[in-house]
mmCIF file of all heavy atoms in Angstrom:
data_model
loop_
_atom_site.group_PDB
_atom_site.id
_atom_site.type_symbol
_atom_site.label_atom_id
_atom_site.label_comp_id
_atom_site.label_asym_id
_atom_site.label_seq_id
_atom_site.Cartn_x
_atom_site.Cartn_y
_atom_site.Cartn_z
ATOM 1 N N GLU R 91 -7.462 -12.944 82.843
ATOM 2 C CA GLU R 91 -8.154 -11.913 82.061
ATOM 3 C C GLU R 91 -9.617 -11.814 82.456
ATOM 4 O O GLU R 91 -10.181 -10.718 82.548
ATOM 5 C CB GLU R 91 -8.025 -12.235 80.573
ATOM 6 C CG GLU R 91 -8.635 -11.180 79.667
ATOM 7 C CD GLU R 91 -8.453 -11.507 78.192
ATOM 8 O OE1 GLU R 91 -7.846 -12.560 77.884
ATOM 9 O OE2 GLU R 91 -8.921 -10.724 77.350
ATOM 10 N N PHE R 92 -10.245 -12.959 82.709
ATOM 11 C CA PHE R 92 -11.657 -12.965 83.097
ATOM 12 C C PHE R 92 -11.862 -12.223 84.418
ATOM 13 O O PHE R 92 -12.775 -11.398 84.547
ATOM 14 C CB PHE R 92 -12.159 -14.408 83.218
ATOM 15 C CG PHE R 92 -13.552 -14.528 83.767
ATOM 16 C CD1 PHE R 92 -14.653 -14.299 82.963
ATOM 17 C CD2 PHE R 92 -13.755 -14.860 85.104
ATOM 18 C CE1 PHE R 92 -15.945 -14.398 83.471
ATOM 19 C CE2 PHE R 92 -15.030 -14.965 85.626
ATOM 20 C CZ PHE R 92 -16.132 -14.731 84.804
ATOM 21 N N LEU R 93 -11.018 -12.496 85.409
ATOM 22 C CA LEU R 93 -11.146 -11.847 86.710
ATOM 23 C C LEU R 93 -10.896 -10.345 86.607
ATOM 24 O O LEU R 93 -11.564 -9.540 87.262
ATOM 25 C CB LEU R 93 -10.176 -12.478 87.706
ATOM 26 C CG LEU R 93 -10.424 -13.950 88.055
ATOM 27 C CD1 LEU R 93 -9.344 -14.465 88.992
ATOM 28 C CD2 LEU R 93 -11.805 -14.144 88.675
ATOM 29 N N THR R 94 -9.947 -9.963 85.758
ATOM 30 C CA THR R 94 -9.622 -8.540 85.596
ATOM 31 C C THR R 94 -10.752 -7.788 84.910
ATOM 32 O O THR R 94 -11.169 -6.710 85.363
ATOM 33 C CB THR R 94 -8.324 -8.389 84.778
ATOM 34 O OG1 THR R 94 -7.255 -9.048 85.455
ATOM 35 C CG2 THR R 94 -7.982 -6.916 84.596
ATOM 36 N N GLN R 95 -11.267 -8.344 83.813
ATOM 37 C CA GLN R 95 -12.315 -7.658 83.055
ATOM 38 C C GLN R 95 -13.621 -7.553 83.837
ATOM 39 O O GLN R 95 -14.392 -6.605 83.626
ATOM 40 C CB GLN R 95 -12.552 -8.399 81.735
ATOM 41 C CG GLN R 95 -11.406 -8.289 80.745
ATOM 42 C CD GLN R 95 -11.709 -8.978 79.427
ATOM 43 O OE1 GLN R 95 -12.718 -9.673 79.292
ATOM 44 N NE2 GLN R 95 -10.841 -8.786 78.444
ATOM 45 N N ASN R 96 -13.872 -8.498 84.727
ATOM 46 C CA ASN R 96 -15.116 -8.486 85.492
ATOM 47 C C ASN R 96 -14.940 -7.903 86.895
ATOM 48 O O ASN R 96 -15.862 -8.010 87.716
ATOM 49 C CB ASN R 96 -15.675 -9.904 85.585
ATOM 50 C CG ASN R 96 -16.197 -10.413 84.250
ATOM 51 O OD1 ASN R 96 -17.334 -10.166 83.872
ATOM 52 N ND2 ASN R 96 -15.344 -11.129 83.521
ATOM 53 N N ASN R 97 -13.758 -7.308 87.139
ATOM 54 C CA ASN R 97 -13.489 -6.662 88.418
ATOM 55 C C ASN R 97 -13.760 -7.597 89.589
ATOM 56 O O ASN R 97 -14.394 -7.240 90.581
ATOM 57 C CB ASN R 97 -14.342 -5.392 88.563
ATOM 58 C CG ASN R 97 -13.811 -4.483 89.659
ATOM 59 O OD1 ASN R 97 -12.630 -4.526 89.990
ATOM 60 N ND2 ASN R 97 -14.693 -3.672 90.231
ATOM 61 N N ARG R 98 -13.252 -8.815 89.454
ATOM 62 C CA ARG R 98 -13.444 -9.838 90.486
ATOM 63 C C ARG R 98 -12.199 -9.925 91.364
ATOM 64 O O ARG R 98 -11.087 -9.636 90.908
ATOM 65 C CB ARG R 98 -13.701 -11.185 89.812
ATOM 66 C CG ARG R 98 -14.998 -11.256 89.018
ATOM 67 C CD ARG R 98 -16.114 -11.751 89.886
ATOM 68 N NE ARG R 98 -15.906 -13.147 90.223
ATOM 69 C CZ ARG R 98 -16.303 -14.168 89.461
ATOM 70 N NH1 ARG R 98 -16.923 -13.938 88.301
ATOM 71 N NH2 ARG R 98 -16.103 -15.410 89.852
ATOM 72 N N PRO R 99 -12.333 -10.348 92.607
ATOM 73 C CA PRO R 99 -11.161 -10.530 93.483
ATOM 74 C C PRO R 99 -10.192 -11.540 92.873
ATOM 75 O O PRO R 99 -10.603 -12.575 92.350
ATOM 76 C CB PRO R 99 -11.781 -11.055 94.784
ATOM 77 C CG PRO R 99 -13.201 -10.597 94.752
ATOM 78 C CD PRO R 99 -13.608 -10.616 93.316
ATOM 79 N N ASN R 100 -8.897 -11.216 92.947
ATOM 80 C CA ASN R 100 -7.872 -12.089 92.383
ATOM 81 C C ASN R 100 -6.834 -12.384 93.461
ATOM 82 O O ASN R 100 -5.922 -11.584 93.692
ATOM 83 C CB ASN R 100 -7.217 -11.431 91.169
ATOM 84 C CG ASN R 100 -6.344 -12.403 90.395
ATOM 85 O OD1 ASN R 100 -5.787 -13.338 90.953
ATOM 86 N ND2 ASN R 100 -6.229 -12.180 89.093
ATOM 87 N N PRO R 101 -6.960 -13.535 94.148
ATOM 88 C CA PRO R 101 -6.059 -13.846 95.269
ATOM 89 C C PRO R 101 -4.743 -14.487 94.829
ATOM 90 O O PRO R 101 -3.894 -14.780 95.671
ATOM 91 C CB PRO R 101 -6.885 -14.837 96.089
ATOM 92 C CG PRO R 101 -7.679 -15.572 95.053
ATOM 93 C CD PRO R 101 -7.991 -14.564 93.971
ATOM 94 N N PHE R 102 -4.577 -14.719 93.515
ATOM 95 C CA PHE R 102 -3.387 -15.421 93.035
ATOM 96 C C PHE R 102 -2.144 -14.539 93.110
ATOM 97 O O PHE R 102 -2.214 -13.316 92.971
ATOM 98 C CB PHE R 102 -3.591 -15.894 91.597
ATOM 99 C CG PHE R 102 -4.753 -16.822 91.435
ATOM 100 C CD1 PHE R 102 -5.843 -16.457 90.653
ATOM 101 C CD2 PHE R 102 -4.770 -18.057 92.065
ATOM 102 C CE1 PHE R 102 -6.917 -17.306 90.486
ATOM 103 C CE2 PHE R 102 -5.846 -18.915 91.914
ATOM 104 C CZ PHE R 102 -6.927 -18.540 91.130
ATOM 105 N N LYS R 103 -1.009 -15.179 93.279
ATOM 106 C CA LYS R 103 0.267 -14.478 93.289
ATOM 107 C C LYS R 103 0.525 -13.878 91.918
ATOM 108 O O LYS R 103 0.431 -14.571 90.914
ATOM 109 C CB LYS R 103 1.393 -15.446 93.674
ATOM 110 C CG LYS R 103 2.758 -14.781 93.776
ATOM 111 C CD LYS R 103 3.811 -15.790 94.206
ATOM 112 C CE LYS R 103 5.171 -15.128 94.314
ATOM 113 N NZ LYS R 103 6.229 -16.106 94.733
ATOM 114 N N GLU R 104 0.813 -12.572 91.891
ATOM 115 C CA GLU R 104 1.008 -11.834 90.642
ATOM 116 C C GLU R 104 -0.207 -11.952 89.725
ATOM 117 O O GLU R 104 -0.094 -11.903 88.513
ATOM 118 C CB GLU R 104 2.271 -12.322 89.927
ATOM 119 C CG GLU R 104 3.547 -12.087 90.731
ATOM 120 C CD GLU R 104 4.781 -12.552 89.998
ATOM 121 O OE1 GLU R 104 4.650 -13.085 88.881
ATOM 122 O OE2 GLU R 104 5.889 -12.383 90.540
ATOM 123 N N SER R 105 -1.381 -12.158 90.327
ATOM 124 C CA SER R 105 -2.689 -12.214 89.654
ATOM 125 C C SER R 105 -2.831 -13.365 88.661
ATOM 126 O O SER R 105 -3.796 -13.415 87.897
ATOM 127 C CB SER R 105 -2.987 -10.890 88.929
ATOM 128 O OG SER R 105 -2.215 -10.756 87.750
ATOM 129 N N LEU R 106 -1.884 -14.328 88.667
ATOM 130 C CA LEU R 106 -1.933 -15.450 87.719
ATOM 131 C C LEU R 106 -2.142 -16.755 88.470
ATOM 132 O O LEU R 106 -1.378 -17.076 89.394
ATOM 133 C CB LEU R 106 -0.640 -15.522 86.914
ATOM 134 C CG LEU R 106 -0.631 -16.509 85.741
ATOM 135 C CD1 LEU R 106 -1.555 -16.021 84.635
ATOM 136 C CD2 LEU R 106 0.786 -16.688 85.208
ATOM 137 N N PRO R 107 -3.173 -17.552 88.122
ATOM 138 C CA PRO R 107 -3.395 -18.837 88.790
ATOM 139 C C PRO R 107 -2.151 -19.715 88.730
ATOM 140 O O PRO R 107 -1.500 -19.816 87.685
ATOM 141 C CB PRO R 107 -4.552 -19.453 87.988
ATOM 142 C CG PRO R 107 -5.256 -18.276 87.395
ATOM 143 C CD PRO R 107 -4.193 -17.267 87.102
ATOM 144 N N GLY R 108 -1.816 -20.341 89.836
ATOM 145 C CA GLY R 108 -0.621 -21.179 89.917
ATOM 146 C C GLY R 108 -0.906 -22.623 89.560
ATOM 147 O O GLY R 108 -2.018 -23.003 89.206
ATOM 148 N N ILE R 109 0.130 -23.456 89.717
ATOM 149 C CA ILE R 109 0.020 -24.865 89.363
ATOM 150 C C ILE R 109 -0.962 -25.585 90.281
ATOM 151 O O ILE R 109 -1.634 -26.534 89.873
ATOM 152 C CB ILE R 109 1.412 -25.538 89.419
ATOM 153 C CG1 ILE R 109 1.338 -26.979 88.902
ATOM 154 C CG2 ILE R 109 1.975 -25.487 90.829
ATOM 155 C CD1 ILE R 109 0.941 -27.101 87.466
ATOM 156 N N GLY R 110 -1.070 -25.107 91.542
ATOM 157 C CA GLY R 110 -2.012 -25.730 92.475
ATOM 158 C C GLY R 110 -3.446 -25.581 92.011
ATOM 159 O O GLY R 110 -4.221 -26.548 92.019
ATOM 160 N N TRP R 111 -3.815 -24.357 91.594
ATOM 161 C CA TRP R 111 -5.178 -24.142 91.093
ATOM 162 C C TRP R 111 -5.410 -24.952 89.826
ATOM 163 O O TRP R 111 -6.479 -25.556 89.644
ATOM 164 C CB TRP R 111 -5.404 -22.658 90.802
ATOM 165 C CG TRP R 111 -6.775 -22.388 90.227
ATOM 166 C CD1 TRP R 111 -7.913 -22.106 90.913
ATOM 167 C CD2 TRP R 111 -7.144 -22.448 88.839
ATOM 168 N NE1 TRP R 111 -8.974 -21.977 90.048
ATOM 169 C CE2 TRP R 111 -8.532 -22.180 88.763
ATOM 170 C CE3 TRP R 111 -6.442 -22.694 87.665
ATOM 171 C CZ2 TRP R 111 -9.230 -22.151 87.563
ATOM 172 C CZ3 TRP R 111 -7.132 -22.677 86.467
ATOM 173 C CH2 TRP R 111 -8.502 -22.402 86.406
ATOM 174 N N TYR R 112 -4.415 -24.979 88.959
ATOM 175 C CA TYR R 112 -4.546 -25.689 87.681
ATOM 176 C C TYR R 112 -4.784 -27.180 87.914
ATOM 177 O O TYR R 112 -5.678 -27.781 87.301
ATOM 178 C CB TYR R 112 -3.285 -25.470 86.858
ATOM 179 C CG TYR R 112 -3.240 -26.241 85.566
ATOM 180 C CD1 TYR R 112 -4.017 -25.882 84.477
ATOM 181 C CD2 TYR R 112 -2.401 -27.343 85.444
ATOM 182 C CE1 TYR R 112 -3.972 -26.597 83.297
ATOM 183 C CE2 TYR R 112 -2.348 -28.065 84.260
ATOM 184 C CZ TYR R 112 -3.127 -27.691 83.187
ATOM 185 O OH TYR R 112 -3.075 -28.406 82.029
ATOM 186 N N GLN R 113 -4.024 -27.797 88.800
ATOM 187 C CA GLN R 113 -4.192 -29.221 89.076
ATOM 188 C C GLN R 113 -5.533 -29.504 89.734
ATOM 189 O O GLN R 113 -6.172 -30.515 89.448
ATOM 190 C CB GLN R 113 -3.037 -29.712 89.946
ATOM 191 C CG GLN R 113 -1.691 -29.699 89.239
ATOM 192 C CD GLN R 113 -0.535 -30.081 90.143
ATOM 193 O OE1 GLN R 113 -0.661 -30.054 91.384
ATOM 194 N NE2 GLN R 113 0.601 -30.428 89.556
ATOM 195 N N ALA R 114 -5.966 -28.594 90.618
ATOM 196 C CA ALA R 114 -7.272 -28.762 91.256
ATOM 197 C C ALA R 114 -8.392 -28.640 90.225
ATOM 198 O O ALA R 114 -9.401 -29.357 90.291
ATOM 199 C CB ALA R 114 -7.447 -27.720 92.360
ATOM 200 N N PHE R 115 -8.226 -27.738 89.256
ATOM 201 C CA PHE R 115 -9.219 -27.585 88.186
ATOM 202 C C PHE R 115 -9.345 -28.879 87.384
ATOM 203 O O PHE R 115 -10.460 -29.311 87.064
ATOM 204 C CB PHE R 115 -8.816 -26.430 87.271
ATOM 205 C CG PHE R 115 -9.669 -26.306 86.035
ATOM 206 C CD1 PHE R 115 -10.927 -25.719 86.099
ATOM 207 C CD2 PHE R 115 -9.218 -26.788 84.819
ATOM 208 C CE1 PHE R 115 -11.726 -25.611 84.965
ATOM 209 C CE2 PHE R 115 -10.000 -26.688 83.677
ATOM 210 C CZ PHE R 115 -11.258 -26.098 83.741
ATOM 211 N N LEU R 116 -8.224 -29.515 87.072
ATOM 212 C CA LEU R 116 -8.262 -30.777 86.323
ATOM 213 C C LEU R 116 -8.931 -31.874 87.143
ATOM 214 O O LEU R 116 -9.660 -32.706 86.591
ATOM 215 C CB LEU R 116 -6.848 -31.199 85.928
ATOM 216 C CG LEU R 116 -6.133 -30.328 84.892
ATOM 217 C CD1 LEU R 116 -4.757 -30.905 84.578
ATOM 218 C CD2 LEU R 116 -6.958 -30.193 83.623
ATOM 219 N N ARG R 117 -8.700 -31.881 88.464
ATOM 220 C CA ARG R 117 -9.352 -32.889 89.309
ATOM 221 C C ARG R 117 -10.857 -32.676 89.339
ATOM 222 O O ARG R 117 -11.623 -33.642 89.393
ATOM 223 C CB ARG R 117 -8.779 -32.839 90.723
ATOM 224 C CG ARG R 117 -7.366 -33.397 90.851
ATOM 225 C CD ARG R 117 -7.016 -33.656 92.316
ATOM 226 N NE ARG R 117 -7.037 -32.433 93.104
ATOM 227 C CZ ARG R 117 -5.983 -31.653 93.297
ATOM 228 N NH1 ARG R 117 -4.822 -31.974 92.749
ATOM 229 N NH2 ARG R 117 -6.075 -30.564 94.037
ATOM 230 N N ARG R 118 -11.280 -31.425 89.307
ATOM 231 C CA ARG R 118 -12.714 -31.135 89.339
ATOM 232 C C ARG R 118 -13.380 -31.409 87.992
ATOM 233 O O ARG R 118 -14.608 -31.483 87.909
ATOM 234 C CB ARG R 118 -12.955 -29.671 89.739
ATOM 235 C CG ARG R 118 -12.616 -29.346 91.178
ATOM 236 C CD ARG R 118 -13.152 -27.977 91.584
ATOM 237 N NE ARG R 118 -12.468 -26.887 90.909
ATOM 238 C CZ ARG R 118 -11.381 -26.274 91.360
ATOM 239 N NH1 ARG R 118 -10.841 -26.672 92.498
ATOM 240 N NH2 ARG R 118 -10.827 -25.272 90.692
ATOM 241 N N HIS R 119 -12.568 -31.550 86.950
ATOM 242 C CA HIS R 119 -13.118 -31.772 85.610
ATOM 243 C C HIS R 119 -12.409 -32.968 84.951
ATOM 244 O O HIS R 119 -11.543 -32.804 84.092
ATOM 245 C CB HIS R 119 -12.959 -30.508 84.762
ATOM 246 C CG HIS R 119 -13.702 -29.329 85.306
ATOM 247 N ND1 HIS R 119 -14.995 -29.041 84.947
ATOM 248 C CD2 HIS R 119 -13.334 -28.394 86.216
ATOM 249 C CE1 HIS R 119 -15.397 -27.961 85.611
ATOM 250 N NE2 HIS R 119 -14.410 -27.554 86.379
ATOM 251 N N PRO R 120 -12.777 -34.166 85.367
ATOM 252 C CA PRO R 120 -12.106 -35.381 84.875
ATOM 253 C C PRO R 120 -12.325 -35.658 83.387
ATOM 254 O O PRO R 120 -11.689 -36.553 82.839
ATOM 255 C CB PRO R 120 -12.712 -36.490 85.740
ATOM 256 C CG PRO R 120 -14.042 -35.944 86.179
ATOM 257 C CD PRO R 120 -13.836 -34.470 86.351
ATOM 258 N N LYS R 121 -13.206 -34.883 82.741
ATOM 259 C CA LYS R 121 -13.385 -35.073 81.291
ATOM 260 C C LYS R 121 -12.176 -34.568 80.511
ATOM 261 O O LYS R 121 -12.021 -34.890 79.328
ATOM 262 C CB LYS R 121 -14.638 -34.321 80.813
ATOM 263 C CG LYS R 121 -15.947 -34.887 81.315
ATOM 264 C CD LYS R 121 -17.116 -34.092 80.741
ATOM 265 C CE LYS R 121 -18.448 -34.629 81.235
ATOM 266 N NZ LYS R 121 -19.585 -33.836 80.682
ATOM 267 N N ILE R 122 -11.325 -33.770 81.155
ATOM 268 C CA ILE R 122 -10.160 -33.177 80.494
ATOM 269 C C ILE R 122 -8.898 -33.862 80.983
ATOM 270 O O ILE R 122 -8.771 -34.176 82.167
ATOM 271 C CB ILE R 122 -10.069 -31.663 80.799
ATOM 272 C CG1 ILE R 122 -11.356 -30.963 80.383
ATOM 273 C CG2 ILE R 122 -8.873 -31.037 80.110
ATOM 274 C CD1 ILE R 122 -11.407 -29.509 80.803
ATOM 275 N N THR R 123 -7.980 -34.099 80.077
ATOM 276 C CA THR R 123 -6.700 -34.688 80.439
ATOM 277 C C THR R 123 -5.590 -34.028 79.636
ATOM 278 O O THR R 123 -5.851 -33.351 78.640
ATOM 279 C CB THR R 123 -6.702 -36.205 80.166
ATOM 280 O OG1 THR R 123 -5.483 -36.774 80.651
ATOM 281 C CG2 THR R 123 -6.811 -36.488 78.677
ATOM 282 N N GLN R 124 -4.348 -34.206 80.076
ATOM 283 C CA GLN R 124 -3.205 -33.641 79.375
ATOM 284 C C GLN R 124 -2.665 -34.665 78.380
ATOM 285 O O GLN R 124 -2.470 -35.820 78.717
ATOM 286 C CB GLN R 124 -2.106 -33.235 80.370
ATOM 287 C CG GLN R 124 -2.508 -32.115 81.283
ATOM 288 C CD GLN R 124 -1.345 -31.612 82.118
ATOM 289 O OE1 GLN R 124 -0.842 -30.529 81.911
ATOM 290 N NE2 GLN R 124 -0.933 -32.406 83.087
ATOM 291 N N ARG R 125 -2.433 -34.223 77.170
ATOM 292 C CA ARG R 125 -1.943 -35.098 76.107
ATOM 293 C C ARG R 125 -0.848 -34.395 75.316
ATOM 294 O O ARG R 125 -0.722 -33.172 75.349
ATOM 295 C CB ARG R 125 -3.094 -35.453 75.154
ATOM 296 C CG ARG R 125 -4.215 -36.256 75.807
ATOM 297 C CD ARG R 125 -3.818 -37.695 75.991
ATOM 298 N NE ARG R 125 -3.546 -38.314 74.714
ATOM 299 C CZ ARG R 125 -4.486 -38.856 73.918
ATOM 300 N NH1 ARG R 125 -5.764 -38.798 74.284
ATOM 301 N NH2 ARG R 125 -4.160 -39.428 72.781
ATOM 302 N N THR R 126 -0.082 -35.188 74.558
ATOM 303 C CA THR R 126 0.892 -34.644 73.623
ATOM 304 C C THR R 126 0.244 -34.604 72.252
ATOM 305 O O THR R 126 -0.190 -35.642 71.728
ATOM 306 C CB THR R 126 2.162 -35.504 73.583
ATOM 307 O OG1 THR R 126 2.745 -35.523 74.897
ATOM 308 C CG2 THR R 126 3.164 -34.928 72.603
ATOM 309 N N ALA R 127 0.150 -33.427 71.658
ATOM 310 C CA ALA R 127 -0.552 -33.267 70.382
ATOM 311 C C ALA R 127 0.340 -33.643 69.217
ATOM 312 O O ALA R 127 1.559 -33.493 69.255
ATOM 313 C CB ALA R 127 -1.029 -31.820 70.223
ATOM 314 N N GLU R 128 -0.288 -34.154 68.153
ATOM 315 C CA GLU R 128 0.405 -34.428 66.898
ATOM 316 C C GLU R 128 0.138 -33.270 65.947
ATOM 317 O O GLU R 128 -1.017 -32.948 65.648
ATOM 318 C CB GLU R 128 -0.107 -35.735 66.284
ATOM 319 C CG GLU R 128 0.542 -36.077 64.956
ATOM 320 C CD GLU R 128 -0.003 -37.363 64.359
ATOM 321 O OE1 GLU R 128 -0.710 -38.096 65.074
ATOM 322 O OE2 GLU R 128 0.278 -37.631 63.173
ATOM 323 N N ALA R 129 1.196 -32.629 65.474
ATOM 324 C CA ALA R 129 1.040 -31.463 64.612
ATOM 325 C C ALA R 129 0.653 -31.869 63.201
ATOM 326 O O ALA R 129 1.209 -32.804 62.625
ATOM 327 C CB ALA R 129 2.345 -30.666 64.574
ATOM 328 N N VAL R 130 -0.331 -31.185 62.626
ATOM 329 C CA VAL R 130 -0.731 -31.386 61.234
ATOM 330 C C VAL R 130 -0.819 -30.015 60.575
ATOM 331 O O VAL R 130 -1.082 -29.009 61.234
ATOM 332 C CB VAL R 130 -2.096 -32.115 61.119
ATOM 333 C CG1 VAL R 130 -2.011 -33.512 61.689
ATOM 334 C CG2 VAL R 130 -3.196 -31.327 61.809
ATOM 335 N N THR R 131 -0.620 -29.969 59.275
ATOM 336 C CA THR R 131 -0.695 -28.695 58.565
ATOM 337 C C THR R 131 -2.155 -28.307 58.353
ATOM 338 O O THR R 131 -3.062 -29.146 58.391
ATOM 339 C CB THR R 131 -0.003 -28.785 57.202
ATOM 340 O OG1 THR R 131 -0.686 -29.768 56.397
ATOM 341 C CG2 THR R 131 1.450 -29.204 57.363
ATOM 342 N N ALA R 132 -2.368 -27.017 58.100
ATOM 343 C CA ALA R 132 -3.728 -26.531 57.866
ATOM 344 C C ALA R 132 -4.328 -27.164 56.613
ATOM 345 O O ALA R 132 -5.531 -27.412 56.536
ATOM 346 C CB ALA R 132 -3.719 -25.004 57.735
ATOM 347 N N ALA R 133 -3.479 -27.443 55.613
ATOM 348 C CA ALA R 133 -3.977 -28.051 54.371
ATOM 349 C C ALA R 133 -4.514 -29.450 54.632
ATOM 350 O O ALA R 133 -5.523 -29.867 54.055
ATOM 351 C CB ALA R 133 -2.860 -28.095 53.335
ATOM 352 N N SER R 134 -3.862 -30.199 55.518
ATOM 353 C CA SER R 134 -4.293 -31.564 55.806
ATOM 354 C C SER R 134 -5.660 -31.596 56.464
ATOM 355 O O SER R 134 -6.435 -32.545 56.273
ATOM 356 C CB SER R 134 -3.265 -32.258 56.698
ATOM 357 O OG SER R 134 -2.012 -32.332 56.057
#
Side-chain angles (χ1 to χ4, degrees):
E91 184 178 0
F92 173 79
L93 295 177
T94 300
Q95 291 183 352
N96 290 275
N97 197 25
R98 295 269 291 274
N100 191 331
F102 301 116
K103 183 178 180 180
E104 297 181 358
S105 74
L106 189 69
I109 186 63
W111 178 90
Y112 175 74
Q113 293 175 343
F115 172 79
L116 292 182
R117 287 195 298 269
R118 291 192 292 270
H119 298 270
K121 292 182 180 179
I122 304 173
T123 186
Q124 294 188 109
R125 296 284 299 275
T126 300
E128 179 181 348
V130 296
T131 62
S134 299

